[in-house]
């Protein structure tokens, strides 16, 4: 079992829809979670960074961690064509670990 | 300035060539990383430098040789590569070594012929 699992999609939704992107992780000791966005032929860009449980909101983006089910989510409200990208969840695993473990990435397309 | 720059953007090299990739950041970050990314896959960590010292080598073949001349610069020296080494090579930096907010550069797209 991979430490961080993510459905690779692809996911295609109409403009304005609410998008839900999800990952699961295997170890309940994981505490830090990140979401990166990667446009085609570009490097990943850090979108959101959460610690432990709960929600974190930044504009149209909300990151959610449910430790009881080991589930992390990224919600995008009022999705725009410019949100079309690959979204990667990541976690360093254990506190103090230097290495990020990435999910496979979900390719998202927002159709105008 | 939250930018990590990488040169060159594209590189084509033969299997007998020697080339280098360069990465630079001026954010005062003390940890720098090399990742390799194949198409439709997530980035895979290769090396981590922390305070200019190599702290992680993910069992990378010796044909890849990293170098950190100073806290702002990171190089990746390439020699006798194989076609399967063709990939996007990403550099990243973070404020300190145990810091999960990593900033990535745009990458160098490497093709080995």
């Amino acid at each position: 079992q991979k430490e961080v699992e993510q459905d690779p999609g692809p996911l295609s939704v109409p403009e304005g829809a609410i998008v839900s992107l999800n990952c699961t992780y295997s170890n309940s000791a994981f505490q830090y979670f990140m979401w990166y966005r990667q446009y085609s032929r570009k490097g990943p860009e850090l979108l959101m960074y959460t610690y432990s449980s709960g929600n974190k909101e930044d504009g149209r983006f909300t990151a959610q961690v449910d430790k009881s089910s080991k589930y992390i989510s990224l919600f995008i409200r009022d999705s725009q064509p410019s949100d079309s990208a690959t979204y990667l969840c990541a976690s360093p695993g254990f506190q103090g670990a230097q290495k990020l473990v990435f999910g496979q990435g979900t390719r998202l397309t927002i159709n105008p | 300035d939250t930018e990590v720059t990488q040169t060159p953007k594209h590189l084509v090299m033969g299997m007998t060539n020697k080339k280098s990739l360069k990465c630079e950041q001026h954010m005062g970050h003390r940890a720098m990383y090399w990742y390799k990314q194949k198409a439709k896959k997530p980035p895979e960590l290769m090396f981590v430098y922390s305070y200019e010292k190599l702290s992680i080598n993910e069992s990378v073949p010796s044909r890849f040789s990293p170098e950190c001349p100073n806290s702002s610069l990171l190089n990746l020296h390439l020699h006798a590569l194989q076609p399967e080494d063709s990939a996007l090579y990403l550099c990243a930096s973070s404020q300190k070594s145990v810091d999960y907010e990593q900033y990535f550069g745009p990458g160098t797209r490497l093709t080995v012929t």
Side-chain angles (χ1 to χ4, degrees), chain A:
Chain A
Q1 183 188 9
K2 289 184 181 172
E3 290 179 293
V4 178
E5 303 235 29
Q6 184 176 9
D7 184 341
L11 182 62
S12 182
V13 301
E15 184 176 354
I18 296 174
V19 177
S20 171
L21 301 164
N22 307 296
C23 291
T24 57
Y25 59 97
S26 59
N27 194 313
S28 55
F30 288 12
Q31 292 184 301
Y32 296 86
F33 304 95
M34 297 89 201
W35 284 97
Y36 283 85
R37 175 176 64 194
Q38 187 172 21
Y39 290 114
S40 182
R41 299 185 171 271
K42 301 284 187 188
E45 170 196 0
L46 180 64
L47 268 182
M48 306 278 288
Y49 168 20
T50 57
Y51 170 70
S52 196
S53 282
N55 291 0
K56 184 174 182 179
E57 194 172 317
D58 184 2
R60 296 184 296 110
F61 298 88
T62 300
Q64 191 174 79
V65 178
D66 182 346
K67 288 185 74 76
S68 62
S69 56
K70 297 201 276 286
Y71 207 76
I72 52 179
S73 302
L74 179 71
F75 298 98
I76 307 174
R77 288 184 301 281
D78 188 25
S79 55
Q80 306 292 311
S82 57
D83 296 325
S84 299
T86 296
Y87 289 80
L88 296 143
C89 59
S91 175
F94 299 98
Q95 188 171 2
Q98 284 187 281
K99 178 180 173 179
L100 282 181
V101 179
F102 285 92
Q104 283 295 101
T106 299
R107 187 186 292 183
L108 172 67
T109 301
I110 308 295
N111 300 303

Side-chain angles (χ1 to χ4, degrees), chain B residues 25-41:
Chain B
Q25 57 88 13
H26 295 288
M27 296 178 276
H29 288 177
R30 302 312 301 268
M32 296 184 77
Y33 310 76
W34 280 115
Y35 287 86
K36 173 182 176 181
Q37 187 175 28
K38 301 282 263 184
K40 298 185 183 181
K41 297 289 185 186

